[in-house]
Amino acid sequence: MKNCLFILLCFMLSAFSAVAQTGAKGNFVIKGQVVDSLTNETVPYATLSIALQNNPQKSLLLLACDIDGNFEATLKSTGKYILSMQSIGKKPAQKKFTISAGKNTLNLGKLYMIDDNQRLDEVTVVAQKPLVKVEIDKLTYSLQDDPESQTNNTLDMLRKVPMITVDGNDEIQLQGSTNFKIYVNGKPSNMLSNNPSDVLKSMPASSVKDIEVITDPGAKYDAEGVGGIINIITTKNLFQGYTGTVRASASTLGRFGGGAYVSAKYGKFGITANYNYNYNNSPWNESYSVREDYGTASREGSILNQSGRSKSQGPFQFGYLEGSYEIDSLNLITVGANLFRGDNTSKTEYAVEMLGRNGSELLPSYSYNRNSRSTSVFGSTDINVDYQHSTHKKGELLTLSYRFSQSPNNSESYTELLDVVDYPLMSDYPQWTINDAATSEHTLQFDYTTPTWKNQTLEVGAKYIYRGSDSETDRRYYRDSIQSWESEYDANSDFRHNQHIYSAYLGYAMKFGKLGTKFGVRGEGTSLNVKYAYDPSMNFKTNYFDLVPNLTLSYQITQAQQFRVGYNMRIRRPGIRYLNPYVNDTDPLNISYGNPNLDSEKSHNIRLNYSIFTQKFNMNLSGNYRFVNNSIEQYTWVNDQGISETTYGNIGRTRSVGAFLYASYSPIAMLRIFTNAGMNYEKLQSTEGNLANDGFSGRVFAGAQLTLPKDFRIDLNGGYFSPRINLQGKSSAMYFTGISLNKSFFDKKLTVSLSCNNPFWKTIKMESNTADDTFNMKTVSYNHARDFRLSVSYRFGSLKDVIKKVKRGISNDDSMGGENENGGGMQM
């Protein structure tokens, strides 16, 4: 009997305990936010488990935080519970809490997790991380998670980024277009003014964290940049202490260089510095051109033949120095300076012969040998100051920025003619031409961002730019009669071009469940003043104002799939390279010059995008339609003297539709296969003259990456570009292949890479065709292709704590000239 009473008593106590743990029934909401204990940064997608305190092994509820570390869960009864938290790179953490009757909502506030610094011995990781992330208005490729970035340069890595292609001549395209901008850390400059490919080729990919492809730029971005924006995010996780890298490389095609990178933080002050020196001495490349004239009776059937060789050589170097100071937890100032300088010397040796038709016969009209040497100086000096004020309201930022930029674009050329037979313009040679050209900018900018309601953000800002460009030309002819050089000037010899650009923008972003949208409008006004010192009657002024809208909609199908559609309007303003009236007549039968009367062109773009990303398979598929009614086009004609002239004009009507595919597949952990491909159909028509062209163009880049034990890696790649369509013809098809072998030593601090580009071809034939109703010209060149390269890099130093940098800065992407079309500016 006593045993029965004892058993009954135990049962009643157990029942009472259970009731105490899970008492009153109902819906009780638990919420909170998981953050890092050291940096107070949120921990996205942490895994949470809720169990009773008396039975912690049995989970009652499993859930995950959102991207901002927030979570919300519903429990059915009161009681004492325990919340367990897990996240990669963090130590597991727990939080005990009690739900009481009468309180239906319990906010646990911030729940802290700390980094897991435990180091494991002899662990080899061969799994491939997902490299691509899609957001509402952009796509991000993670270079820091791609092992190939440890030995490659940034230009090589661009070939792997969705919607970006780099052809055999190292020309960059975004969605099949060369009309886009390149930023670094959200801030462009003129550092890529003439040689974007060369700069990115000398920039180690190991110093880059991510590459963002912004295909739908919002209102906060300047309206220029037709194809979108490539934003290169450099490594920002700089910690207490210091770290650095030294590197060197050399190739069999006459290119060598080296550089160093160092980052340090002590207390509230952080500094980053980088320096690169490169020298290029390309081998001689053979080429020839044939032009047939049939536009006028005097030139009917005449043929111009030119054949010879050319080469280029010279150094270029760039560096940057950036310092950040945390005034306090809410105020931050960043000061940076960039310097980029290059000298390029080009040499040409050509034999020229003009054949005239006499009845059915072709007879020599004149001939000569032309030797020329030209030198160009390019680069920029940039100084920027950014002040950022944040508040206790998460995501609220106020930024004030100033930037000064000065970009030289000087050139000097000398041309002489030898073995001249009956050439009518022989008296104009030898010729020596000096052109001093430069652009300077002053920019002031204000940006303000604040969350409004849940998952909603407001952006407003204003900006002012003063941009001054000038060009002075001294053209000298050697006169035998006086045995000295004589200068001649014309109306275009002294040219000034000043712009005042003012803008303001308003943007808004919202997310409701799986639906998201970004929309905004930007107003941009321009005041333009052009002056000619030698002919004031040609001076002119103009003013114009544009409203630039944008809209992007996205739908999150699943956690791994997204669909989005967007519209934006973009503007291209001509810069000094397009406006400069300086006549480049190094080749007296093929001259070129800019057009100071160009207007800005306006482009309308509609884009569709679908993406799916899983652990093994990633794909991004996009399509776009673009139309422009006043596009800036390069065009060529032959004048009455038989001289080919090339310049620019707002003469184009462009219609373009394209599709682009990026896909990668990892059948096993150590292997990744990828492809990046696109196809366009373009229809081009001139508003003046009888020029028109249309057709398809396509490109494909594919490769494989194999990670082997003992820190060995093999990379294979290859690509093909079909001929590109332009207003007066098409360019040559291009193709390339590459293979590299990489090995790391000393705990991955020392990396050695041996690579070969185009092992199957010593030279590659490049051909282009240009024509109108009066002539047809074909140009063929044979460029050296096979290249072996050795690269070595060594990393040193140690890190402990994070450096902060201003999140916003000046972004002058409104000008297309003075820059290369495929990269409007870059700042690091």
Side-chain angles (χ1 to χ4, degrees):
M1 183 67 178
K2 291 181 178 180
N3 290 337
C4 293
L5 291 174
F6 179 75
I7 293 172
L8 179 61
L9 179 61
C10 290
F11 176 78
M12 292 175 65
L13 290 173
S14 299
F16 178 79
S17 176
V19 171
Q21 291 283 335
T22 58
K25 303 295 183 181
N27 289 327
F28 300 93
V29 177
I30 310 299
K31 60 183 179 180
Q33 185 183 40
V34 181
V35 298
D36 185 280
S37 63
L38 180 63
T39 66
N40 213 35
E41 295 288 334
T42 61
V43 180
Y45 308 120
T47 302
L48 308 180
S49 172
I50 299 178
L52 290 169
Q53 289 186 24
N54 67 346
N55 190 10
Q57 303 302 320
K58 184 179 179 180
S59 296
L60 300 178
L61 187 63
L62 291 172
L63 66 151
C65 299
D66 63 16
I67 192 171
D68 294 317
N70 296 308
F71 68 89
E72 185 173 302
T74 301
L75 296 173
K76 298 299 184 182
S77 59
T78 59
K80 296 181 178 180
Y81 294 88
I82 184 168
L83 173 68
S84 300
M85 299 169 280
Q86 289 185 326
S87 180
I88 296 176
K90 305 289 183 184
K91 287 185 177 181
Q94 292 183 335
K95 172 70 174 180
K96 294 181 179 180
F97 63 92
T98 301
I99 296 178
S100 304
K103 189 174 182 181
N104 293 331
T105 301
L106 176 61
N107 189 345
L108 299 177
K110 291 185 178 181
L111 305 178
Y112 295 97
M113 299 187 73
I114 64 176
D115 287 339
D116 187 357
N117 296 319
Q118 182 178 4
R119 184 165 181 172
L120 301 178
D121 293 330
E122 300 300 328
V123 175
T124 301
V125 179
V126 294
Q128 300 276 9
K129 289 185 179 180
L131 297 180
V132 183
K133 179 177 68 174
V134 175
E135 300 175 57
I136 190 172
D137 60 346
K138 65 185 178 183
L139 179 148
T140 303
Y141 187 93
S142 175
L143 257 66
Q144 69 175 1
D145 291 331
D146 190 329
E148 195 174 352
S149 67
Q150 298 304 309
T151 55
N152 276 5
N153 59 60
T154 303
L155 184 69
D156 288 337
M157 298 304 296
L158 275 182
R159 302 179 192 274
K160 303 174 67 174
V161 178
M163 292 180 283
I164 298 177
T165 49
V166 183
D167 64 23
N169 285 336
D170 292 336
E171 183 179 53
I172 306 166
Q173 297 178 37
L174 174 58
Q175 298 193 110
S177 172
T178 59
N179 302 325
F180 60 89
K181 295 297 175 182
I182 297 180
Y183 290 178
V184 173
N185 298 329
K187 298 183 289 185
S189 77
N190 297 315
M191 195 164 67
L192 296 182
S193 57
N194 287 292
N195 292 276
S197 296
D198 284 340
V199 175
L200 294 177
K201 191 181 297 182
S202 64
M203 182 178 179
S206 58
S207 66
V208 177
K209 178 178 179 288
D210 296 316
I211 294 179
E212 296 178 344
V213 180
I214 305 172
T215 55
D216 298 289
K220 70 179 180 181
Y221 296 100
D222 289 336
E224 213 284 317
V226 173
I229 296 169
I230 299 173
N231 187 22
I232 298 173
I233 308 296
T234 58
T235 305
K236 291 185 179 180
N237 292 327
L238 311 178
F239 299 84
Q240 193 77 20
Y242 71 95
T243 183
T245 303
V246 292
R247 54 191 173 268
S249 63
S251 81
T252 55
L253 287 185
R255 187 187 189 96
F256 64 87
Y261 169 86
V262 64
S263 300
K265 184 184 180 185
Y266 296 97
K268 294 183 176 182
F269 181 74
I271 190 169
T272 303
N274 189 26
Y275 175 77
N276 289 267
Y277 175 87
N278 293 269
Y279 189 88
N280 180 50
N281 186 15
S282 70
W284 288 95
N285 292 312
E286 307 289 331
S287 65
Y288 71 88
S289 67
V290 178
R291 191 189 80 204
E292 183 176 3
D293 299 332
Y294 37 80
T296 62
S298 62
R299 294 189 289 108
E300 182 71 34
S302 63
I303 294 178
L304 174 64
N305 291 315
Q306 298 194 77
S307 62
R309 62 179 189 166
S310 62
K311 71 169 297 176
S312 63
Q313 63 188 83
F316 68 93
Q317 53 193 320
F318 69 88
Y320 66 88
L321 179 66
E322 184 176 75
S324 295
Y325 180 71
E326 300 174 46
I327 302 172
D328 53 40
S329 61
L330 300 179
N331 296 280
L332 175 67
I333 188 168
T334 299
V335 179
N338 297 273
L339 177 65
F340 174 50
R341 281 292 183 271
D343 295 273
N344 183 67
T345 299
S346 299
K347 301 175 184 179
T348 59
E349 299 175 358
Y350 277 85
V352 180
E353 182 182 41
M354 174 67 82
L355 302 176
R357 191 170 295 278
N358 184 6
S360 60
E361 289 186 291
L362 280 173
L363 300 176
S365 296
Y366 59 80
S367 65
Y368 57 83
N369 293 325
R370 172 173 56 86
N371 294 338
S372 62
R373 177 188 179 97
S374 61
T375 301
S376 60
V377 178
F378 52 88
S380 70
T381 302
D382 304 310
I383 298 174
N384 59 278
V385 180
D386 301 299
Y387 166 72
Q388 176 181 287
H389 173 70
S390 57
T391 69
H392 293 288
K393 183 179 180 182
K394 180 177 172 59
E396 186 175 31
L397 288 175
L398 171 67
T399 307
L400 299 174
S401 303
Y402 166 77
R403 192 185 70 174
F404 168 76
S405 179
Q406 199 278 337
S407 304
N409 192 22
N410 303 330
S411 63
E412 182 176 349
S413 64
Y414 174 83
T415 303
E416 63 178 358
L417 306 184
L418 306 173
D419 304 322
V420 180
V421 178
D422 297 330
Y423 180 53
L425 301 179
M426 174 59 190
S427 60
D428 289 340
Y429 293 87
Q431 188 178 120
W432 178 19
T433 305
I434 301 172
N435 178 238
D436 292 328
T439 298
S440 61
E441 288 183 349
H442 295 271
T443 305
L444 291 171
Q445 182 171 315
F446 156 81
D447 295 288
Y448 176 68
T449 301
T450 183
T452 52
W453 290 274
K454 182 179 180 181
N455 294 326
Q456 299 185 45
T457 304
L458 172 70
E459 297 178 329
V460 295
K463 184 176 186 177
Y464 168 75
I465 306 173
Y466 168 74
R467 178 179 295 127
S469 301
D470 64 86
S471 170
E472 298 180 18
T473 302
D474 181 4
R475 195 175 302 278
R476 303 174 182 179
Y477 303 92
Y478 190 80
R479 303 304 187 192
D480 289 331
S481 59
I482 59 176
Q483 295 292 300
S484 68
W485 294 92
E486 183 178 53
S487 296
E488 290 188 7
Y489 303 93
D490 56 27
N492 294 325
S493 294
D494 194 339
F495 164 79
R496 297 287 187 276
H497 182 278
N498 296 322
Q499 285 182 329
H500 298 270
I501 303 167
Y502 46 93
S503 61
Y505 70 87
L506 171 67
Y508 203 81
M510 299 183 294
K511 189 174 182 180
F512 303 100
K514 294 185 176 182
L515 291 173
T517 181
K518 263 191 174 183
F519 57 89
V521 64
R522 185 181 187 92
E524 290 195 354
T526 302
S527 175
L528 182 69
N529 187 7
V530 179
K531 294 182 178 181
Y532 297 86
Y534 290 99
D535 190 354
S537 64
M538 297 174 60
N539 295 352
F540 67 92
K541 298 180 180 180
T542 188
N543 297 276
Y544 49 88
F545 182 82
D546 297 299
L547 280 177
V548 184
N550 70 279
L551 172 65
T552 303
L553 301 171
S554 71
Y555 178 71
Q556 195 80 26
I557 303 170
T558 68
Q559 287 290 333
Q561 296 182 75
Q562 185 197 62
F563 175 79
R564 74 177 190 264
V565 58
Y567 162 79
N568 61 37
M569 173 184 167
R570 310 302 290 164
I571 295 174
R572 295 174 72 206
R573 291 187 184 92
I576 186 64
R577 186 166 66 89
Y578 290 82
L579 299 167
N580 192 351
Y582 160 67
V583 177
N584 183 348
D585 57 356
T586 301
D587 179 353
L589 297 179
N590 293 281
I591 66 175
S592 61
Y593 47 88
N595 178 4
N597 298 306
L598 289 174
D599 292 328
S600 61
E601 74 170 40
K602 301 173 181 64
S603 169
H604 300 269
N605 308 273
I606 300 172
R607 293 187 177 90
L608 301 173
N609 189 89
Y610 168 77
S611 59
I612 178 171
F613 300 101
T614 66
Q615 190 64 31
K616 288 190 174 183
F617 179 71
N618 295 336
M619 184 184 74
N620 187 80
L621 180 64
S622 64
N624 75 291
Y625 174 72
R626 178 172 67 93
F627 66 93
V628 190
N629 292 325
N630 69 331
S631 62
I632 298 174
E633 301 290 345
Q634 177 179 291
Y635 63 100
T636 302
W637 76 97
V638 179
N639 62 27
D640 293 337
Q641 287 76 40
I643 298 174
S644 167
E645 298 189 40
T646 299
T647 190
Y648 306 94
N650 292 98
I651 64 170
R653 295 184 71 250
T654 303
R655 303 292 183 268
S656 174
V657 60
F660 310 92
L661 170 69
Y662 166 81
S664 69
Y665 177 58
S666 298
I668 57 177
M670 63 178 61
L671 176 65
R672 173 179 282 121
I673 304 169
F674 62 90
T675 185
N676 207 356
M679 177 169 285
N680 283 75
Y681 174 77
E682 285 192 304
K683 185 174 183 180
L684 307 173
Q685 188 174 1
S686 64
T687 56
E688 300 177 9
N690 189 27
L691 301 177
N693 201 3
D694 69 285
F696 287 93
S697 61
R699 53 219 158 268
V700 60
F701 176 73
Q705 184 180 94
L706 181 63
T707 303
L708 301 173
K710 304 296 182 180
D711 292 326
F712 276 99
R713 196 181 71 255
I714 299 175
D715 297 290
L716 303 170
N717 65 75
Y720 174 79
F721 290 69
S722 66
R724 191 192 308 171
I725 305 299
N726 54 55
L727 186 60
Q728 290 182 266
K730 62 182 181 180
S731 63
S732 175
M734 302 183 196
Y735 46 91
F736 54 89
T737 59
I739 180 172
S740 66
L741 175 65
N742 307 279
K743 176 72 172 78
S744 296
F745 304 90
F746 310 128
D747 196 23
K748 296 187 177 181
K749 290 187 175 182
L750 174 66
T751 302
V752 180
S753 173
L754 178 63
S755 61
C756 179
N757 294 325
N758 302 305
F760 307 110
W761 308 288
K762 182 178 180 180
T763 60
I764 292 181
K765 179 182 178 180
M766 308 295 295
E767 180 178 332
S768 64
N769 294 275
T770 306
D772 66 8
D773 293 336
T774 65
F775 77 97
N776 186 304
M777 181 167 60
K778 179 175 74 171
T779 301
V780 178
S781 62
Y782 297 89
N783 297 332
H784 286 267
R786 186 180 298 135
D787 182 26
F788 292 92
R789 183 177 63 189
L790 176 66
S791 302
V792 180
S793 66
Y794 181 76
R795 176 176 53 86
F796 59 90
S798 60
L799 307 167
K800 292 181 181 178
D801 189 21
V802 173
I803 257 185
K804 291 184 178 179
K805 290 187 179 181
V806 170
K807 295 181 180 180
R808 291 285 185 93
I810 287 176
S811 302
N812 286 357
D813 63 345
D814 63 292
S815 175
M816 64 175 283
E819 310 101 30
N820 191 296
E821 285 189 47
N822 53 350
M826 170 176 134
Q827 177 173 336
M828 294 188 297

